[in-house]
Amino acid sequence: MTRELPTGFVPADIEAPLYKKWLDAGYFTADAKSEKPPFAIVIPPPNVTGSLHIGHALDHTLQDTLVRMKRMKGFETLWLPGMDHAGIATQNVVERQLAAQGKSRHDFGREEFVKKVWDWKAESGGAILGQMKRLGDSVDWSREAFTMDANLSRAVLTIFKRLYDQELIYRAERIINWCPRCLTALSDIEVDHHDVDGEFVQIRYGRDDDENQIFIATTRPETMLGDGAVAVNPNDDRYKHMIGKTVRLPYVDRMIPIIADELVDPEFGTGAVKVTAAHDPNDFEMAVRHGVPMIIIMNEHGVMEGTGTKFDGMDRFDARRAVVEELRKDGLLGWEKRPYSHSVGHCSRCQTIVEPRLSLQWFVKVAPLAKAAGDAVRSGKVKISPTEMEPRYFEWVDGMHDWCISRQLWWGHRIPVWYGPDGEVKVLGPDEVAPEGWTQDEDVLDTWFSSALWPFSTLGWPDNTDDLKKFYPNSVLVTGYDILFFWVARMMIFGLFAMDGKQPFDTIVLHGLVRDKFGKKMSKSKGNVVDPLEFMDKYGSDALRFSLARGSNPGADQALAEEWIGGARNFATKLWNATRFALMNGATVDGPLPEFSSLNAIDKWILSRLNETIAEADQLLESFEFAKASELIYHFAWDDLCDWYLELSKDAFQKGDAAATKRVLGHVLDQLLRLMHPIMPFITEELWTTLTGQESLVIAAWPVSDAKSIDKSAEKIVAQLQEVITEVRRFRNDQGIKTSQKIPGRLVVPAELAPYAAGAEFLLKMENGEFTPSAKFEIGAIRAEFDLTGSIDVAAERARLNKDLATAEKDRATATAKLGNEGFMAKAPESVVVEIRERLAKCDQDIERIKAQLASLPA
RNA sequence: GGACGAUUGGCUCAGCGGUAGAGCACUUCCUUGACAUGGAAGGGGUCACUGGUUCGAUCCCAGUAUCGUCCACCA
């Protein structure tokens, strides 16, 4: 046995070479022709502008864990990487660069600008891909995809046409969310609502000498210039007599009707609402119902335009101030509430206040598609883990408005609609060419349109490729709950539509967000953002991965602090040293494992614990319980294996009489490293290949729990041994005996523990030989006795024993009370009663033992 | 206004009808023959509050309070 490990574990020394080894061996490349059952995951495509943040690190750790486990289980695994072209985000990046040179995209024109974006991508895009390699992602790079790739664009065109032909895509004038900075429409979910301090003012319409006057209330006074009506509730007695009459709109000096609509809440404001059809979605609805004119009063930059008043040319917020001032001067204001906190939509990309605006845009008719997406989950065809997230999904899927998919950008999939010279409209499929003289729609599609096709566009759809046949539907989708609506629900919608009702994935696994150590959201302004790359440099990728996995409870956010990762690094070091110890002492994986029944209790015990851990960890990982699986493995490795088994084995190794132990230890490590590999791929690979001399753990078999090697009685007797050892240690500690000081003593153990008795004595620094026992601990068949004549602090020892006695007596009293309780005895399950009886018996034993010890103390 | 969740030791979180758990932090001891990125021993919690169900509630039910997230057309 010549295998050796360096003394210290230096992650940086092993990670890059191992990743290269894996790539060279082609372990991550999927074979669509394989006979093995498939297991496929697509990566949530990061933005091409992005770099790896801690959220990706979590997301990828969980996916890689599943993929690596499935690969070891014999599945043909495909984990497909790629990126999203990220329309607005990417265009913004390039435009900012141009702005720095004092230019805008319009200086270049569409074609030239788009080329510049591609250049930018080639040069600076995709930084995240290299960072994924550092993390160890076992993705199939040969299938790397980009939403703007030719074949993925074909998928976009194909599905657009299909939807259009089935009248599920239409063009219409609607109120949409408009960002006056990005100069594009936004879908509902690209708008963030938060409260801002604004104003709420009462404005009188109608002059003194007019027939009618009415007070309306608004938070956006400047929009009065575009009013087409005033609406009241039909049952509002205050205004009933005015319905159908007209009132004069100040400044614009236009007579507008007073209409009645149920939408108006008589309790709110003045009970009378101005109707600005072109700049408010509710008003638009009412206007449609009542035929109210829709007057656009702002241009695309949010500057007042076309009102025919002196406010034209003012920015919308300047106009607001100016209008209020003017109204006040003219005595047309009633009460003014200021500040008035209310919810206002902001562009999720740049935080500019969104302007609802009447505009001609393209929409996806969502209702029929979303119905199918909801039903797929309701019927159980697609599972959401954890199930608590289902209500959120249904809420959105069942109530989704039509999806505005056109964006006034240049970077993205251009809408494949062409207009003929005589106003004809034609939607072109991927291989169709527009007739001479026709022009294409100027807009591009929402970025999420192409991401929604990701589970099948990356597999070659619309062609019926081998990849598609083998790997669709994907097995699971792992992502943060924060993009459940943006992305997941839309993949469901399009997947079911495009693939004839076949779901894009079988299970949706939602994890939480990574927050700072106090559970606060990470944000640049708070300065609590952490960089996963920095952590990988400092502690190794395995440490980062392990702490992320260990913190990931289903659907729940996790707090992360640098100390946690340091702790995980310590764990990695522990494993390293344990394996080093094993190798130094001749642990081996060669030859068959000794017959279980021939082993002593300690060897049986560690095998038993190993097999229990394997069974449980496997079950936890299969149910996406990453935190619990990690925790379980951690405690088995550290507590059972390192703190007990290795410590107890030292003496046997020292004496060179440990053939069975060498083989058992080799086996336990072998299996443990396999079990941990999905979560900590680098260190396990290094240790395992050194231990076994085999090629790679990536393609090794996943451990299977051997039920025949689970032995509860061995576990019980080892637990007793541990208890005795702990008792003695506590006693020594209480007596102030130094850890290194030897005391005369011995352990008396049953035969099945005999090979380890000396090891236990070694742990306790017991010196076997001639002595008169002066202290004794006895649990079950295990007895520890030692001689401390002259060195015992009698008073302290008596106090300690008395305390223990009191505790034991109190416990006995509770147990006795329970057994004497008729209600309890009538209803408690048998197992509970047995447990309490055992507890009572143990109390009796303890009390007797403690009393004996007290009696043996010198007076 | 709805939906979901949270409230457990200093911090972050598990647990969940039957004597309160982990990691980190803390105290004391130990450079012992893999590991001081370590080992041993220990301190610390009326499980948010109030009622109810039960032989028994941290756990189930109802309500209260505080916090978080998501959704929603409060002009």
Side-chain angles (χ1 to χ4, degrees):
Chain A
M1 210 50 67
T2 56
R3 299 162 195 148
E4 270 180 31
L5 283 170
T7 348
F9 168 45
V10 183
D13 289 350
I14 65 166
E15 290 176 1
L18 285 178
Y19 197 80
K20 183 170 182 306
K21 166 185 142 185
W22 295 331
L23 286 187
D24 290 347
Y27 294 145
F28 306 154
T29 310
D31 174 10
K33 293 258 174 46
S34 158
E35 295 292 313
K36 297 177 183 174
F39 182 83
I41 301 187
V42 288
I43 233 161
N47 287 357
V48 61
T49 54
S51 61
L52 190 84
H53 61 65
I54 194 76
H56 295 124
L58 169 64
D59 192 49
H60 290 204
T61 295
L62 303 186
Q63 290 175 62
D64 199 32
T65 297
L66 291 176
V67 168
R68 284 179 183 269
M69 173 175 74
K70 291 292 181 177
R71 191 179 289 119
M72 292 174 76
K73 282 188 170 183
F75 285 79
E76 187 60 37
T77 56
L78 169 60
W79 186 20
L80 197 147
M83 292 188 294
D84 191 284
H85 68 279
I88 301 184
T90 311
Q91 178 161 327
N92 280 352
V93 167
V94 178
E95 285 193 287
R96 261 200 302 277
Q97 284 188 347
L98 295 181
Q101 305 158 21
K103 303 219 164 134
S104 90
R105 63 176 150 134
H106 299 284
D107 295 332
F108 297 92
R110 182 169 194 140
E111 208 174 318
E112 188 68 15
F113 176 77
V114 168
K115 198 175 155 292
K116 280 192 176 301
V117 180
W118 278 107
D119 290 347
W120 174 88
K121 184 205 173 229
E123 202 175 311
S124 347
I128 192 166
L129 298 175
Q131 296 161 342
M132 285 163 58
K133 295 179 181 169
R134 297 249 358 238
L135 202 54
D137 287 0
S138 64
V139 294
D140 182 351
W141 291 108
S142 73
R143 285 176 168 83
E144 183 190 329
F146 182 54
T147 47
M148 293 280 283
D149 283 346
N151 59 331
L152 277 79
S153 298
R154 277 186 71 216
V156 169
L157 298 184
T158 307
I159 199 159
F160 189 98
K161 189 169 168 61
R162 254 188 225 183
L163 287 163
Y164 182 86
D165 289 346
Q166 298 189 26
E167 292 175 6
L168 291 166
I169 280 184
Y170 64 91
R171 194 187 198 202
E173 274 215 312
R174 289 285 167 82
I175 296 279
I176 46 86
N177 308 294
W178 180 264
C179 176
R181 200 212 65 85
C182 300
L183 298 178
T184 181
L186 302 170
S187 67
D188 289 349
I189 52 176
E190 286 167 302
V191 176
D192 298 336
H193 290 271
H194 32 257
D195 284 350
V196 299
D197 281 338
E199 57 194 312
F200 193 35
V201 299
Q202 214 183 12
I203 305 173
R204 196 185 79 179
Y205 286 4
R207 286 202 294 248
D208 290 344
D209 54 351
D210 282 336
E211 185 198 352
N212 295 306
Q213 293 95 29
I214 192 165
F215 273 103
I216 58 91
T218 182
T219 55
R220 304 178 57 203
E222 77 283 6
T223 61
M224 64 169 284
L225 302 171
D227 283 1
V230 169
V232 298
N233 188 285
N235 302 315
D236 192 333
D237 289 336
R238 291 173 297 177
Y239 300 121
K240 265 186 177 161
H241 66 284
M242 296 173 78
I243 297 170
K245 307 239 171 88
T246 59
V247 66
R248 185 183 305 276
L249 187 63
Y251 309 128
V252 182
D253 210 31
R254 186 169 59 228
M255 296 306 288
I256 56 173
I258 295 172
I259 58 171
D261 197 290
E262 295 283 352
L263 200 63
V264 180
D265 176 4
E267 304 294 319
F268 193 82
T270 62
V273 185
K274 57 199 281 307
V275 180
T276 320
H279 291 277
D280 182 280
N282 290 323
D283 293 4
F284 176 79
E285 258 181 56
M286 286 195 279
V288 168
R289 278 199 286 271
H290 300 278
V292 175
M294 303 177 185
I295 306 156
I296 295 178
I297 56 163
M298 272 177 225
N299 67 14
E300 58 186 17
H301 298 283
V303 171
M304 306 304 287
E305 197 175 281
T307 67
T309 65
K310 62 180 180 179
F311 304 108
D312 277 358
M314 286 185 184
D315 171 78
R316 52 187 170 152
F317 300 114
D318 295 337
R320 180 175 301 172
R321 278 185 289 274
V323 165
V324 168
E325 205 176 307
E326 195 75 9
L327 288 166
R328 193 182 295 127
K329 206 171 72 191
D330 295 338
L332 294 173
L333 283 185
W335 43 249
E336 301 173 43
K337 294 180 182 173
R338 199 177 289 114
Y340 179 79
S341 175
H342 63 128
S343 175
V344 175
H346 296 70
C347 173
S348 64
R349 191 52 63 184
C350 70
Q351 293 305 313
T352 302
I353 291 182
V354 159
E355 190 61 43
R357 190 163 188 266
L358 186 66
S359 175
L360 184 62
Q361 302 285 348
W362 288 93
F363 295 87
V364 170
K365 188 174 170 188
V366 167
L369 297 164
K371 168 89 169 52
D375 289 345
V377 173
R378 266 184 281 268
S379 71
K381 187 156 82 174
V382 175
K383 285 179 279 299
I384 295 183
S385 166
T387 49
E388 290 81 49
M389 289 290 175
E390 280 181 8
R392 281 192 190 190
Y393 173 82
F394 290 136
E395 188 181 357
W396 195 74
V397 151
D398 295 341
M400 186 179 177
H401 294 169
D402 280 359
W403 172 15
C404 175
I405 51 171
S406 43
R407 296 289 180 275
Q408 289 64 52
L409 305 171
W410 286 350
W411 175 241
H413 299 98
R414 192 158 173 182
I415 290 181
V417 177
W418 293 73
Y419 305 101
D422 303 316
E424 311 97 307
V425 175
K426 202 174 163 76
V427 175
L428 296 189
D431 303 315
E432 295 174 289
V433 180
E436 193 69 25
W438 287 48
T439 52
Q440 186 172 9
D441 197 293
E442 289 295 322
D443 292 351
V444 300
L445 288 165
D446 182 3
T447 259
W448 297 100
F449 191 94
S450 53
S451 342
L453 315 180
W454 191 247
F456 50 93
S457 63
T458 52
L459 297 176
W461 188 88
D463 296 335
N464 192 20
T465 59
D466 288 342
D467 272 7
L468 199 65
K469 281 183 261 185
K470 181 79 180 176
F471 298 114
Y472 191 95
N474 294 171
S475 312
V476 298
L477 177 84
V478 180
T479 191
Y481 62 72
D482 53 328
I483 55 171
L484 183 61
F485 305 138
F486 281 93
W487 188 47
V488 180
R490 285 170 179 175
M491 282 192 288
M492 288 287 285
I493 284 172
F494 279 178
L496 292 164
F497 174 77
M499 303 298 295
D500 301 318
K502 247 162 97 190
Q503 69 279 16
F505 23 71
D506 299 328
T507 307
I508 300 166
V509 178
L510 296 168
H511 61 247
L513 275 30
V514 182
R515 325 195 81 147
D516 78 1
K517 96 183 254 195
F518 300 111
K520 296 266 182 270
K521 206 168 184 167
M522 289 187 185
S523 73
K524 282 186 191 134
S525 57
K526 277 190 222 146
N528 59 351
V529 179
V530 300
D531 179 6
L533 296 159
E534 202 179 291
F535 288 145
M536 284 192 269
D537 287 341
K538 221 163 154 183
Y539 303 105
S541 301
D542 290 320
L544 177 65
R545 292 171 60 118
F546 186 77
S547 39
L548 288 169
R550 192 180 186 184
S552 187
N553 283 112
D557 291 349
Q558 64 171 298
L560 184 78
E562 185 160 352
E563 302 96 277
W564 294 201
I565 301 166
R569 186 269 319 266
N570 296 355
F571 178 48
T573 308
K574 190 76 179 170
L575 281 174
W576 183 272
N577 284 308
T579 308
R580 207 159 64 87
F581 171 84
L583 290 168
M584 280 165 54
N585 287 289
T588 178
V589 295
D590 302 331
L593 206 54
E595 183 68 29
F596 187 75
S597 59
S598 74
L599 296 169
N600 65 64
I602 302 280
D603 290 339
K604 278 183 180 165
W605 162 77
I606 195 68
L607 287 173
S608 185
R609 290 288 305 120
L610 170 75
N611 283 290
E612 284 171 338
T613 304
I614 289 171
E616 221 175 311
D618 177 73
Q619 190 268 322
L620 288 169
L621 286 173
E622 285 287 356
S623 45
F624 317 112
E625 293 275 10
F626 300 98
K628 288 183 183 69
S630 308
E631 187 75 4
L632 185 77
I633 295 170
Y634 175 91
H635 283 292
F636 170 75
W638 202 312
D639 301 351
D640 290 340
L641 182 61
C642 293
D643 286 347
W644 285 108
Y645 188 74
L646 292 187
E647 292 300 335
L648 287 168
S649 307
K650 279 181 180 172
D651 184 75
F653 283 134
Q654 198 69 16
K655 289 179 183 142
D657 179 26
T661 302
K662 283 178 187 172
R663 186 63 191 90
V664 169
L665 176 55
H667 176 76
V668 172
L669 267 179
D670 169 19
Q671 298 291 107
L672 174 64
L673 291 169
R674 289 173 198 251
L675 191 62
M676 297 184 62
H677 178 257
I679 301 176
M680 305 178 90
F682 293 107
I683 187 171
T684 50
E685 172 82 341
E686 185 72 9
L687 296 178
W688 189 81
T689 51
T690 310
L691 175 74
T692 64
Q694 292 186 51
E695 181 54 31
S696 177
L697 193 42
V698 176
I699 48 166
W702 182 248
V704 178
S705 175
D706 173 17
K708 290 194 300 295
S709 298
I710 293 177
D711 183 341
K712 289 290 179 192
S713 74
E715 287 183 26
K716 194 170 170 188
I717 196 160
V718 172
Q720 290 178 345
L721 178 68
Q722 290 174 335
E723 213 174 318
V724 170
I725 292 174
T726 304
E727 274 294 320
V728 174
R729 282 171 165 167
R730 188 180 299 145
F731 177 83
R732 287 182 52 128
N733 198 62
D734 289 347
Q735 292 299 328
I737 301 164
K738 302 224 174 200
T739 319
S740 55
Q741 185 189 331
K742 293 191 174 177
I743 53 170
R746 78 176 77 87
L747 276 176
V748 181
V749 299
E752 51 193 324
L753 286 175
Y756 283 94
E761 287 171 354
F762 171 75
L763 286 188
L764 291 171
K765 289 279 173 285
M766 281 177 161
E767 210 162 30
N768 234 319
E770 285 300 308
F771 64 93
T772 314
S774 66
K776 185 175 80 167
F777 291 114
E778 194 163 12
I779 292 172
I782 301 161
R783 192 167 78 239
E785 44 188 36
F786 38 95
D787 181 8
L788 289 167
T789 323
S791 59
I792 297 185
D793 176 344
V794 177
E797 181 58 7
R798 181 167 285 124
R800 190 181 75 88
L801 289 171
N802 276 323
K803 198 176 139 206
D804 288 356
L805 186 63
T807 313
E809 278 174 340
K810 198 178 130 214
D811 288 352
R812 183 173 63 174
T814 11
T816 314
K818 278 213 169 141
L819 293 174
N821 182 326
E822 280 173 37
F824 170 75
M825 293 307 282
K827 297 193 180 169
E830 185 58 24
S831 60
V832 174
V833 176
V834 168
E835 195 184 305
I836 292 176
R837 288 225 171 88
E838 280 174 1
R839 195 186 304 154
L840 186 63
K842 185 170 179 299
C843 286
D844 285 336
Q845 230 180 44
D846 286 353
I847 288 166
E848 207 173 308
R849 191 194 81 213
I850 295 167
K851 279 183 174 164
Q853 281 171 23
L854 276 169
S856 72
L857 283 178

